[in-house]
Amino acid sequence: MRPVVVAANWKMHTGPDDAGELARTIARRTAEPSVVRVICPPFVSLAAVRDALAVEDPRVAVGAQTIHHELQGAYTGEVSAPMLAGLATWVILGHSERRRDAGETDALVGRKLGRAVEAGLRPILCVGEQLEDRDAGRAESVVDGQLRCALAGHDPAGLEAAGLVIAYEPVWAIGTGRNARGADAAAMAEAIRAAAASAGWPGGAADLPVLYGGSVTSANIAEFLAEPAIDGALVGGASLKADEMAGIVARAGLTAQARLGPESAS
Ligand code: PGA
């Protein structure tokens, strides 16, 4: 049975002075034990969020927003996977803003994936098509290509053991207030599992968690979680608002409890 995950991508918001308080408030407002919660602040705020969550609710995990593909060296401004030891246990990889602004290619994302797994970080690998791809009817082939390239050369069983999560984030839906339709996102989630299965993922990739991301809010999360193929959300803008996170995680809790069966409701 796949977990239900809500991951907060704070992007370039919050510094060490305010991140801890926001993390604490969100943890308090989202205390839903059946949902896997992750908060991904900027690097400089990882320690503050870690410390705040250790006190408020250690079940909320801390994630980074990227890592470098090398372990160390002359890479000004970069942070490698082993440097996150003690700071983060998850990492977002291949976010479309990194692909756009930092020139990350699928092959580079694949190298980062290897570094994350070596360092014991749980990866959230982002994939998603541009609007022109969807309009031209090639959304699934674009995402299939991104996934295959990033997974190439990795042992699928090792990635599964590392708890790899895929986030399907159509680029045209990120930060725009536009959403994919739930049915389209679900079809893509199944296409992602099919691509992983054909790349050798164990068990036909039935256990591979796939999140939806792109302008998710408390008002639209239900449309995505109504789809059995979708296992949660990667949330950007709305994840900076405790009220929004409370609504999103509450809805995710309904799905998680339904998956666990009737006994879990008590
Ligand atoms: P958004 O961002 O929710 O603000 O659209 C999602 C993401 O980029 O992960």
Side-chain angles (χ1 to χ4, degrees), residues 9 11 95-97 126 169 173-177 213-216 234-238:
N9 175 9
K11 308 192 180 188
H95 191 279
S96 71
E97 287 154 13
C126 301
E169 299 203 300
I174 296 176
T176 58
S215 298
V216 169
L234 179 56
V235 186

Side-chain angles (χ1 to χ4, degrees), residues 55-82:
V55 174
E56 185 65 42
D57 187 347
R59 295 171 301 183
V60 185
V62 183
Q65 297 174 11
T66 185
I67 46 171
H68 197 261
H69 60 279
E70 294 292 358
L71 296 175
Q72 59 186 26
Y75 302 102
T76 303
E78 299 288 348
V79 173
S80 71

Side-chain angles (χ1 to χ4, degrees), residues 33-210:
S34 59
V35 176
V36 177
R37 292 166 291 158
V38 190
I39 296 179
C40 304
F43 283 128
V44 294
S45 300
L46 285 170
V49 169
R50 174 201 61 192
D51 293 347
L53 294 174
V55 174
E56 185 65 42
D57 187 347
R59 295 171 301 183
V60 185
V62 183
Q65 297 174 11
T66 185
I67 46 171
H68 197 261
H69 60 279
E70 294 292 358
L71 296 175
Q72 59 186 26
Y75 302 102
T76 303
E78 299 288 348
V79 173
S80 71
M83 292 173 187
L84 295 174
L87 285 170
T89 54
W90 288 62
V91 64
I92 299 170
L93 297 176
H95 191 279
S96 71
E97 287 154 13
R98 300 285 312 168
R99 294 173 187 263
R100 180 194 68 199
D101 301 336
E104 292 190 8
T105 60
D106 294 325
L108 199 70
V109 172
R111 293 179 67 187
K112 291 170 186 252
L113 184 58
R115 295 303 188 192
V117 172
E118 283 163 21
L121 293 166
R122 187 165 181 183
I124 300 175
L125 173 61
C126 301
V127 292
E129 82 283 358
Q130 305 280 345
L131 188 56
E132 54 268 30
D133 297 322
R134 178 152 291 271
D135 288 346
R138 51 172 189 257
E140 286 192 10
S141 67
V142 166
V143 168
D144 182 88
Q146 289 173 335
L147 196 64
R148 281 172 197 275
C149 188
L151 298 185
H154 296 295
D155 169 24
L159 295 177
E160 187 183 43
L164 175 67
V165 171
I166 307 295
Y168 167 55
E169 299 203 300
V171 177
W172 46 272
I174 296 176
T176 58
R178 289 186 63 183
N179 291 115
R181 290 186 314 164
D184 289 339
M188 187 64 88
E190 290 302 6
I192 285 168
R193 290 193 185 94
S198 71
W201 198 272
D207 289 339
L208 177 61
V210 179

